[in-house]
Amino acid sequence: MSQAEENKPSNFIRHIIEADIAANKNAAKVVTRFPPEPNGYLHIGHAKSIVLNFGVAQDYQGSCNLRFDDTNPHKEDEEFIDAIKADVEWLGFNWSEQHFASDYFQKLYDFAVELIEKGLAYVDELNAEQIREYRGTLKQAGKNSPYRDRSVEENLDLFKRMRAGEFADGEKLLRAKIDMASPNMNMRDPALYRIRHGVVHHQTGTEWCIYPMYDFTHPISDAIEGITHSLCTLEFADHRPLYDWLLDNVSIDCHPQQIEFSRLNLQYTVMSKRKLTQLVEEGLVEGWDDPRMPTIAGMRRRGYSAASIREFCLRIGISKSENSVEMGMLESAIRDDLNEHAERRMAVLHPLKIVIENYPQGQIEELDVDNHPQQPEMGKRKIPFAREIYIDEEDFLEVAPNKKFKRLVAGGEVRLRNAYVIKAEEVIKNEQGDIIELRCSYDAATLGANPEGRKVKGVIHWVSAEHAVPAEIRLYDRLFSEPSPDARANKEDRAFTDFLNPDSLRTLTHCYLEPALADAEKAMTVQFEREGYFCKDPATTSDGKPIWNRTVTLRDSWAKLEKG
Ligand code: ATP
Ligand code: MG
């Protein structure tokens, strides 16, 4: 359990629920639902809704359903259903019941008939453009459709024939008869059913050629399932009068309470499924689980743990105010978790060969090293030390650029992490003047002990050349170089893809890992000391090398190690 999970969160929705429980309003228990449309993978915004809905159910001994809102079959797919289920489970939640809105198609149809019989719905024949025209504007009342006053019998007959497939797409529409002059546009005779021929629904096949609208389906599905609190994002606040109108006018006992909260927006990324789909389909990312994507699948592949995503969702809280959360908020939740739980390893990203000339040829020492500096219970591992090692080329400069440079310089000393102090004796260069090797000496008395009579401040990481595991390392940065790609694209009338960060992925093909990582399991996340947190990718390179993804950088990569 993460830090915030141990204390029950407090927010306005939980206050409402607690008051309802105290007033015994919903007699039995709290029932919530998470209702994704299976038209894409879940993203971190969905995680906020998941943590809220499942969290509330858990904390008040209630239950939470998973319901696929599948009324738009042409955009939906079985692949997305499977991915959504896997992601919710991976996040650590179990639904009480799994439903599809399409399970209720017959019931929904019957409720539509009931509305027609009550004179509260009619079959319209205006085309899409006319409907827009008749709807009016925020400043101007709409006007009634000439088909609005059809008799109940005629409406029943036409609706039956819509279902029977007698009309083409767009030829007829079932609408609620509410108020074309309502200040709330959603109440101006909203559409309830549209005709859609030629789609094969992933659940109901070709059984239906009319499909209920989301606004009609949602309240009724909630009521059928006995949902007590229907939690949704703010843009549905204006739909709430319709939600309530429908439940007041169909014969159903349950009337869930819709409560809205603000959606999560995250800087330097986009969150709409339509845009994420575009990134995938245009090949601008590797797929839905590209580690740069804000999807749950992408974050999992990147090495974010479920606990840290839940923790982030709790830290941002639930409110009604719209804002854009800084990426740093997410990254600090990830870091806090990994700092505590990730084992430490050494890996060299930009290798520079070192030969320790006074170290005996052929000798190998197996050093016993803690897996975590603060957590002895995480055990130890062996690291081989030998005459030839790799260090990072950034850890050596012939001349120190300033006093802060605590790494290795020509003629200077540095400690190899977990091992000896070495001294740079000779720099070997190629014809172009690039450093290709460094000859060093080591002080045999410095293993686990301070050198005699002098201070060596710098500590650098290394791996034994002979034992190193070659690997590819992928360094990820923000997917966009603009904090609000959507807003900026709208403002400047440009494509949001114009603001993709060209350096969001840097691939280092010649890296070396310490041998303990040779049989790391897929998805294992560790800290490469002084470099950051890294996660083993499920894939390997075409020549069979393991791939490691950088999950997140270290907060203050330098300061910490050099202090201790
Ligand atoms: P998108 O615009 O990304 O397609 P959506 O709201 O249409 O999002 P759904 O699959 O309908 O996606 O969402 C399922 C649930 O998750 C809904 O209850 C929705 O309100 C919630 N949700 C979606 N995006 C966010 C977000 N960014 N923050 C919080 N909740 C969200
Ligand atoms: Mg939606």
Coordinates of all heavy atoms in Angstrom, one line a residue, residues 59-109:
D59 N -13.6 1.6 0.1 CA -13.5 2.2 1.4 C -14.9 2.3 2.1 O -14.9 2.4 3.3 CB -13.0 3.7 1.3 CG -11.5 3.7 1.0 OD1 -10.9 2.6 1.1 OD2 -11.0 4.7 0.6
Y60 N -16.0 2.1 1.3 CA -17.3 2.2 2.0 C -18.0 0.8 1.9 O -19.2 0.7 1.9 CB -18.1 3.3 1.4 CG -17.5 4.6 1.6 CD1 -16.9 5.3 0.5 CD2 -17.4 5.2 2.9 CE1 -16.3 6.5 0.7 CE2 -16.8 6.5 3.1 CZ -16.2 7.1 2.0 OH -15.6 8.3 2.2
Q61 N -17.2 -0.3 1.8 CA -17.8 -1.6 1.7 C -18.8 -1.7 0.6 O -19.9 -2.4 0.8 CB -18.3 -2.1 3.0 CG -17.3 -2.4 4.1 CD -16.7 -1.2 4.7 OE1 -17.4 -0.3 5.1 NE2 -15.3 -1.1 4.7
G62 N -18.6 -1.1 -0.5 CA -19.6 -1.1 -1.6 C -19.1 -2.0 -2.7 O -18.2 -2.9 -2.5
S63 N -19.5 -1.7 -3.9 CA -19.0 -2.5 -5.1 C -18.9 -1.5 -6.3 O -19.5 -0.5 -6.3 CB -19.9 -3.6 -5.4 OG -21.2 -3.2 -5.7
C64 N -18.0 -1.9 -7.2 CA -17.8 -1.1 -8.4 C -17.9 -2.0 -9.6 O -17.2 -3.1 -9.7 CB -16.5 -0.4 -8.3 SG -16.1 0.6 -9.8
N65 N -18.7 -1.7 -10.6 CA -18.8 -2.4 -11.8 C -17.9 -1.9 -12.9 O -17.6 -0.7 -12.9 CB -20.2 -2.4 -12.4 CG -21.2 -3.1 -11.4 OD1 -20.8 -3.8 -10.5 ND2 -22.5 -2.9 -11.7
L66 N -17.5 -2.8 -13.8 CA -16.8 -2.4 -15.0 C -17.9 -2.4 -16.1 O -18.5 -3.5 -16.3 CB -15.7 -3.3 -15.4 CG -15.0 -3.1 -16.7 CD1 -14.3 -1.7 -16.7 CD2 -13.9 -4.1 -16.9
R67 N -18.2 -1.3 -16.7 CA -19.2 -1.3 -17.8 C -18.6 -0.7 -19.1 O -18.1 0.4 -19.1 CB -20.4 -0.6 -17.4 CG -21.5 -0.7 -18.6 CD -22.6 0.3 -18.5 NE -23.1 0.4 -17.1 CZ -23.3 1.6 -16.5 NH1 -23.2 2.7 -17.2 NH2 -23.6 1.7 -15.3
F68 N -18.7 -1.5 -20.1 CA -18.2 -1.0 -21.4 C -19.4 -0.3 -22.1 O -20.5 -0.8 -22.3 CB -17.8 -2.2 -22.3 CG -16.5 -2.8 -21.8 CD1 -16.5 -4.0 -21.1 CD2 -15.3 -2.2 -22.0 CE1 -15.4 -4.5 -20.6 CE2 -14.1 -2.7 -21.5 CZ -14.2 -3.9 -20.8
D69 N -19.1 1.0 -22.3 CA -20.1 1.9 -22.9 C -20.0 1.7 -24.4 O -19.3 2.5 -25.1 CB -19.8 3.3 -22.5 CG -21.0 3.9 -21.8 OD1 -22.1 3.7 -22.3 OD2 -20.8 4.5 -20.7
D70 N -20.7 0.7 -24.9 CA -20.4 0.3 -26.3 C -21.6 0.7 -27.3 O -22.1 -0.2 -27.9 CB -20.1 -1.2 -26.4 CG -21.1 -2.0 -25.8 OD1 -22.0 -1.5 -25.1 OD2 -21.1 -3.3 -26.0
T71 N -21.8 2.0 -27.4 CA -23.0 2.4 -28.3 C -22.5 3.0 -29.6 O -23.3 3.5 -30.3 CB -23.9 3.4 -27.5 OG1 -23.0 4.4 -27.0 CG2 -24.6 2.7 -26.3
N72 N -21.2 3.0 -29.8 CA -20.6 3.5 -31.0 C -19.8 2.5 -31.7 O -18.5 2.6 -31.9 CB -19.6 4.6 -30.6 CG -20.1 6.0 -30.9 OD1 -20.8 6.2 -31.9 ND2 -19.8 6.9 -30.0
P73 N -20.4 1.4 -32.1 CA -19.7 0.2 -32.5 C -18.7 0.4 -33.6 O -17.7 -0.3 -33.7 CB -20.8 -0.8 -33.0 CG -22.0 0.1 -33.2 CD -21.9 1.2 -32.3
H74 N -18.8 1.4 -34.5 CA -17.9 1.5 -35.6 C -16.5 1.9 -35.1 O -15.5 1.8 -35.9 CB -18.4 2.4 -36.7 CG -18.7 3.8 -36.2 ND1 -19.7 4.1 -35.3 CD2 -18.0 5.0 -36.5 CE1 -19.6 5.4 -35.0 NE2 -18.7 6.0 -35.7
K75 N -16.4 2.4 -33.9 CA -15.1 2.9 -33.4 C -14.5 1.9 -32.4 O -13.4 2.1 -31.9 CB -15.2 4.2 -32.7 CG -15.4 5.4 -33.6 CD -15.0 6.6 -32.9 CE -16.0 7.8 -33.0 NZ -16.1 8.6 -31.8
E76 N -15.3 0.8 -32.1 CA -14.9 0.0 -31.0 C -14.3 -1.3 -31.5 O -14.4 -1.7 -32.6 CB -16.1 -0.3 -30.1 CG -16.7 1.0 -29.5 CD -18.1 0.8 -29.0 OE1 -18.7 -0.3 -29.0 OE2 -18.7 1.9 -28.6
D77 N -13.6 -2.0 -30.5 CA -12.9 -3.2 -30.9 C -12.7 -4.1 -29.7 O -12.4 -3.6 -28.6 CB -11.6 -2.8 -31.6 CG -11.0 -4.0 -32.4 OD1 -10.5 -5.0 -31.8 OD2 -11.0 -3.8 -33.6
E78 N -12.7 -5.4 -30.0 CA -12.5 -6.4 -29.0 C -11.1 -6.2 -28.3 O -10.9 -6.4 -27.1 CB -12.6 -7.8 -29.6 CG -12.8 -9.0 -28.7 CD -14.2 -9.0 -28.1 OE1 -15.2 -8.8 -28.9 OE2 -14.3 -9.2 -26.9
E79 N -10.1 -5.8 -29.2 CA -8.7 -5.6 -28.7 C -8.8 -4.6 -27.5 O -8.1 -4.8 -26.5 CB -7.9 -5.0 -29.8 CG -6.4 -4.7 -29.3 CD -5.7 -3.7 -30.2 OE1 -6.1 -3.4 -31.4 OE2 -4.7 -3.1 -29.8
F80 N -9.6 -3.6 -27.6 CA -9.6 -2.5 -26.6 C -10.3 -3.1 -25.3 O -9.9 -2.7 -24.2 CB -10.4 -1.3 -27.1 CG -9.7 -0.7 -28.3 CD1 -10.4 -0.3 -29.4 CD2 -8.3 -0.5 -28.3 CE1 -9.8 0.3 -30.5 CE2 -7.7 0.1 -29.4 CZ -8.4 0.5 -30.5
I81 N -11.3 -3.9 -25.5 CA -12.0 -4.5 -24.3 C -10.9 -5.3 -23.5 O -10.8 -5.2 -22.3 CB -13.1 -5.4 -24.8 CG1 -14.2 -4.6 -25.5 CG2 -13.7 -6.2 -23.6 CD1 -15.3 -5.3 -26.1
D82 N -10.2 -6.1 -24.2 CA -9.2 -7.0 -23.5 C -8.1 -6.1 -22.8 O -7.7 -6.3 -21.7 CB -8.5 -7.9 -24.5 CG -9.5 -8.9 -25.0 OD1 -10.5 -9.1 -24.4 OD2 -9.2 -9.5 -26.1
A83 N -7.7 -5.1 -23.5 CA -6.7 -4.2 -23.0 C -7.2 -3.4 -21.7 O -6.5 -3.3 -20.7 CB -6.2 -3.2 -24.0
I84 N -8.4 -3.0 -21.8 CA -9.0 -2.2 -20.7 C -9.1 -3.1 -19.4 O -8.7 -2.8 -18.3 CB -10.4 -1.7 -21.1 CG1 -10.2 -0.5 -22.1 CG2 -11.2 -1.2 -19.8 CD1 -11.5 0.0 -22.7
K85 N -9.5 -4.4 -19.7 CA -9.6 -5.3 -18.5 C -8.3 -5.6 -17.9 O -8.1 -5.5 -16.7 CB -10.3 -6.6 -19.0 CG -11.8 -6.4 -19.1 CD -12.5 -7.5 -20.0 CE -12.4 -8.9 -19.5 NZ -13.3 -9.8 -20.3
A86 N -7.3 -5.8 -18.8 CA -5.9 -6.1 -18.3 C -5.4 -4.9 -17.5 O -4.8 -5.0 -16.4 CB -5.0 -6.4 -19.5
D87 N -5.7 -3.7 -18.0 CA -5.1 -2.5 -17.3 C -5.8 -2.2 -16.0 O -5.1 -1.8 -15.0 CB -5.3 -1.3 -18.2 CG -4.3 -1.2 -19.4 OD1 -3.4 -2.1 -19.4 OD2 -4.5 -0.4 -20.3
V88 N -7.1 -2.4 -15.9 CA -7.8 -2.2 -14.6 C -7.3 -3.2 -13.6 O -7.0 -2.9 -12.4 CB -9.3 -2.3 -14.8 CG1 -10.0 -2.3 -13.4 CG2 -9.9 -1.3 -15.7
E89 N -7.1 -4.5 -14.0 CA -6.6 -5.5 -13.1 C -5.2 -5.2 -12.7 O -4.8 -5.3 -11.5 CB -6.7 -6.9 -13.7 CG -8.1 -7.4 -13.7 CD -8.2 -8.8 -14.4 OE1 -7.4 -9.1 -15.3 OE2 -9.1 -9.5 -13.9
W90 N -4.4 -4.8 -13.6 CA -3.0 -4.4 -13.3 C -2.9 -3.3 -12.3 O -2.1 -3.3 -11.4 CB -2.2 -4.1 -14.6 CG -0.8 -3.7 -14.4 CD1 0.2 -4.6 -14.1 CD2 -0.3 -2.4 -14.3 NE1 1.4 -3.9 -13.9 CE2 1.1 -2.5 -14.0 CE3 -0.8 -1.1 -14.5 CZ2 2.0 -1.4 -13.9 CZ3 0.1 0.0 -14.3 CH2 1.4 -0.2 -14.0
L91 N -3.8 -2.3 -12.5 CA -3.8 -1.2 -11.5 C -4.2 -1.7 -10.1 O -4.1 -0.9 -9.2 CB -4.8 -0.1 -12.0 CG -4.3 0.9 -13.0 CD1 -5.4 1.8 -13.5 CD2 -3.1 1.7 -12.5
G92 N -4.7 -2.9 -10.0 CA -4.9 -3.5 -8.7 C -6.4 -3.5 -8.3 O -6.7 -3.6 -7.1
F93 N -7.3 -3.4 -9.2 CA -8.7 -3.4 -8.9 C -9.5 -4.6 -9.5 O -9.2 -5.0 -10.6 CB -9.3 -2.1 -9.3 CG -8.7 -0.9 -8.7 CD1 -7.8 -0.1 -9.3 CD2 -9.0 -0.6 -7.3 CE1 -7.2 1.0 -8.7 CE2 -8.4 0.5 -6.7 CZ -7.5 1.3 -7.4
N94 N -10.5 -5.0 -8.7 CA -11.4 -6.1 -9.2 C -12.8 -5.5 -9.2 O -13.3 -5.0 -8.3 CB -11.4 -7.2 -8.2 CG -10.0 -7.8 -8.1 OD1 -9.3 -8.2 -9.1 ND2 -9.5 -7.8 -6.9
W95 N -13.4 -5.7 -10.4 CA -14.8 -5.3 -10.5 C -15.8 -6.3 -9.9 O -15.4 -7.5 -10.0 CB -15.2 -4.9 -11.9 CG -14.8 -6.0 -12.9 CD1 -15.5 -7.0 -13.4 CD2 -13.5 -6.0 -13.6 NE1 -14.8 -7.7 -14.3 CE2 -13.6 -7.2 -14.5 CE3 -12.3 -5.3 -13.6 CZ2 -12.5 -7.6 -15.3 CZ3 -11.3 -5.7 -14.4 CH2 -11.4 -6.8 -15.3
S96 N -16.9 -5.8 -9.4 CA -17.9 -6.8 -8.9 C -18.6 -7.5 -10.1 O -18.8 -8.7 -10.1 CB -18.9 -6.1 -8.1 OG -18.3 -5.3 -7.1
E97 N -19.1 -6.6 -11.0 CA -19.8 -7.2 -12.2 C -19.2 -6.6 -13.4 O -18.8 -5.4 -13.4 CB -21.3 -6.9 -12.1 CG -22.0 -7.4 -10.9 CD -23.4 -6.8 -10.7 OE1 -23.9 -6.2 -11.6 OE2 -23.9 -7.0 -9.6
Q98 N -19.2 -7.3 -14.5 CA -18.8 -6.8 -15.8 C -20.0 -6.7 -16.7 O -20.7 -7.7 -16.8 CB -17.7 -7.6 -16.4 CG -17.3 -7.1 -17.8 CD -16.5 -8.1 -18.6 OE1 -15.4 -8.5 -18.2 NE2 -17.0 -8.4 -19.8
H99 N -20.2 -5.6 -17.3 CA -21.4 -5.4 -18.1 C -21.0 -4.7 -19.4 O -20.0 -4.0 -19.5 CB -22.5 -4.6 -17.5 CG -23.0 -5.2 -16.2 ND1 -23.9 -6.3 -16.3 CD2 -22.9 -4.9 -14.9 CE1 -24.2 -6.7 -15.1 NE2 -23.6 -5.9 -14.2
F100 N -21.9 -4.8 -20.4 CA -21.8 -4.0 -21.6 C -23.1 -3.3 -21.7 O -24.2 -3.8 -21.4 CB -21.7 -4.9 -22.8 CG -20.4 -5.6 -23.0 CD1 -20.2 -6.9 -22.4 CD2 -19.3 -5.0 -23.6 CE1 -19.0 -7.6 -22.5 CE2 -18.1 -5.7 -23.7 CZ -17.9 -7.0 -23.2
A101 N -23.0 -2.0 -22.1 CA -24.3 -1.3 -22.3 C -25.1 -2.0 -23.3 O -26.3 -2.0 -23.2 CB -23.9 0.2 -22.8
S102 N -24.4 -2.7 -24.2 CA -25.2 -3.4 -25.2 C -26.0 -4.6 -24.6 O -27.0 -5.1 -25.3 CB -24.2 -4.0 -26.3 OG -23.2 -4.7 -25.8
D103 N -25.7 -5.0 -23.4 CA -26.5 -6.1 -22.8 C -27.9 -5.5 -22.6 O -28.9 -6.3 -22.4 CB -26.0 -6.4 -21.3 CG -24.6 -7.0 -21.4 OD1 -24.2 -7.5 -22.5 OD2 -23.9 -7.1 -20.3
Y104 N -28.0 -4.2 -22.5 CA -29.3 -3.6 -22.2 C -30.0 -3.1 -23.5 O -31.0 -2.3 -23.3 CB -29.1 -2.4 -21.2 CG -28.2 -2.7 -20.1 CD1 -27.2 -1.9 -19.7 CD2 -28.4 -3.9 -19.3 CE1 -26.4 -2.2 -18.6 CE2 -27.6 -4.2 -18.2 CZ -26.6 -3.4 -17.9 OH -25.8 -3.7 -16.8
F105 N -29.6 -3.4 -24.6 CA -30.2 -2.9 -25.8 C -31.7 -3.1 -25.9 O -32.5 -2.2 -26.3 CB -29.5 -3.4 -27.1 CG -28.2 -2.7 -27.5 CD1 -27.5 -3.1 -28.6 CD2 -27.8 -1.5 -26.8 CE1 -26.3 -2.4 -28.9 CE2 -26.7 -0.9 -27.1 CZ -25.9 -1.3 -28.2
Q106 N -32.1 -4.3 -25.5 CA -33.6 -4.6 -25.6 C -34.3 -3.8 -24.5 O -35.3 -3.1 -24.8 CB -33.9 -6.1 -25.4 CG -35.3 -6.5 -25.5 CD -35.9 -6.1 -26.9 OE1 -35.3 -6.4 -27.9 NE2 -37.1 -5.4 -26.9
K107 N -33.7 -3.7 -23.3 CA -34.4 -2.9 -22.3 C -34.4 -1.4 -22.7 O -35.4 -0.7 -22.4 CB -33.6 -3.0 -21.0 CG -33.9 -4.4 -20.3 CD -33.2 -4.4 -18.9 CE -33.5 -5.8 -18.3 NZ -32.5 -6.1 -17.2
L108 N -33.4 -1.0 -23.2 CA -33.3 0.4 -23.7 C -34.4 0.7 -24.7 O -35.1 1.7 -24.7 CB -31.9 0.8 -24.2 CG -30.8 0.9 -23.1 CD1 -29.4 0.7 -23.8 CD2 -30.9 2.2 -22.4
Y109 N -34.5 -0.2 -25.6 CA -35.5 -0.1 -26.7 C -36.9 0.0 -26.0 O -37.7 0.8 -26.4 CB -35.4 -1.3 -27.6 CG -36.5 -1.3 -28.7 CD1 -36.2 -0.6 -29.9 CD2 -37.7 -1.9 -28.6 CE1 -37.2 -0.5 -30.9 CE2 -38.6 -1.9 -29.6 CZ -38.4 -1.2 -30.8 OH -39.3 -1.1 -31.8

